[in-house]
Amino acid sequence: MRKCRLFLLWSNLLCAVFPAEAQGTFQNLGFESARIVATGNSLVQFAPAFPGWAGYVGGVQQTTALYNNFFLDTSGISIIDHGWPTSIPFGGVIDGNFTAILQAGIVGSITNPEDTTLSQTALVPPDTESLRFKAQPVFGLPSDSFAVTLGGHALSLAPVEIGANYTLYAADVHSFAGQTAELDFTLFAEQPHISNVYLVLDSIQFSTQAIPEPGALGLSALGALLLGGRVRRRHRRWVRKRG
């Protein structure tokens, strides 16, 4: 009996000293670990396509994702590679071989818009200063159309760089360093529903760099605004052509 009590005591002490090790660190933040397992009609199994991640539509966990395709009027998540059709006026791989696209529209009927979330829970590296990721403002997507939360707290995002097909965003997350936390990327469906909204997402990283000074951020934000207006006009022309 005494040996059992001693074993339990040591077990509790180890759990207290190393609480986060069992959770592990964040993985597949660039989506490069994707493995495509087809299920038919451009659908693939979600788990091998997004190892480490969970996807939700309206709070319901998804078991499939689209591959090199997108929804016109439905919520869901896609994984794309360099086989993405160049005729589609948005998207395309941002970095590496794979990129994710979050889509928010309706589920079942036009009266039922549903948000889309990509989520992972793990250990934030202990030397982290900021969270950074690349996203494309598809069709002039307003900045309040998506949110990023860490540990249940909404992050204040700042655009720090404009690329050919992405905006690099950064947020101060130093207070979460060394903690296990849930990271969520949520795309909000329009209420009421008018059309689908899209967020092309890639290259997520926990960085040891602090976010830049506000003056530099202001110039980047202006560039993002101009780019968004140009893409929105392009989208309207494309929609009229398809109609």
Side-chain angles (χ1 to χ4, degrees), residues 158-208:
V160 298
E161 177 185 301
I162 305 297
N165 64 341
Y166 68 86
T167 297
L168 174 65
Y169 293 92
D172 182 358
V173 296
H174 77 275
S175 61
F176 293 93
Q179 299 182 31
T180 296
E182 180 178 318
L183 175 64
D184 292 331
F185 290 84
T186 298
L187 181 63
F188 303 118
E190 291 182 329
Q191 302 277 352
H193 174 72
I194 299 174
S195 62
N196 258 36
V197 291
Y198 304 86
L199 180 67
V200 185
L201 178 65
D202 208 341
S203 302
I204 306 161
Q205 68 170 137
F206 290 94
S207 174
T208 57

Side-chain angles (χ1 to χ4, degrees), residues 26 28-31 53-57 76-77 100-104 115-120 131-135 145-150 153 155 157 167 169-171 182-188 199-206:
F26 283 89
N28 191 29
L29 293 177
F31 308 115
W53 294 95
Y56 300 90
V57 169
I77 300 173
I101 304 179
L102 277 63
Q103 301 147 84
D115 303 337
T116 300
T117 298
L118 194 60
S119 177
Q120 184 173 165
L131 175 75
R132 294 167 181 251
F133 63 92
K134 294 179 180 179
S145 292
F146 71 95
V148 183
T149 61
L150 185 62
H153 297 274
L155 302 180
L157 303 176
T167 297
Y169 293 92
E182 180 178 318
L183 175 64
D184 292 331
F185 290 84
T186 298
L187 181 63
F188 303 118
L199 180 67
V200 185
L201 178 65
D202 208 341
S203 302
I204 306 161
Q205 68 170 137
F206 290 94

Side-chain angles (χ1 to χ4, degrees), residues 49-120:
F50 290 96
W53 294 95
Y56 300 90
V57 169
V60 178
Q61 187 166 356
Q62 302 297 288
T63 58
T64 59
L66 278 180
Y67 171 55
N68 277 345
N69 209 336
F70 70 105
F71 295 111
L72 277 173
D73 220 21
T74 306
S75 297
I77 300 173
S78 296
I79 185 79
I80 67 172
D81 59 19
H82 292 286
W84 175 258
T86 57
S87 59
I88 300 175
F90 73 90
V93 172
I94 293 177
D95 277 333
N97 295 312
F98 293 98
T99 290
I101 304 179
L102 277 63
Q103 301 147 84
I106 59 175
V107 176
S109 73
I110 197 169
T111 60
N112 190 34
E114 294 287 6
D115 303 337
T116 300
T117 298
L118 194 60
S119 177
Q120 184 173 165

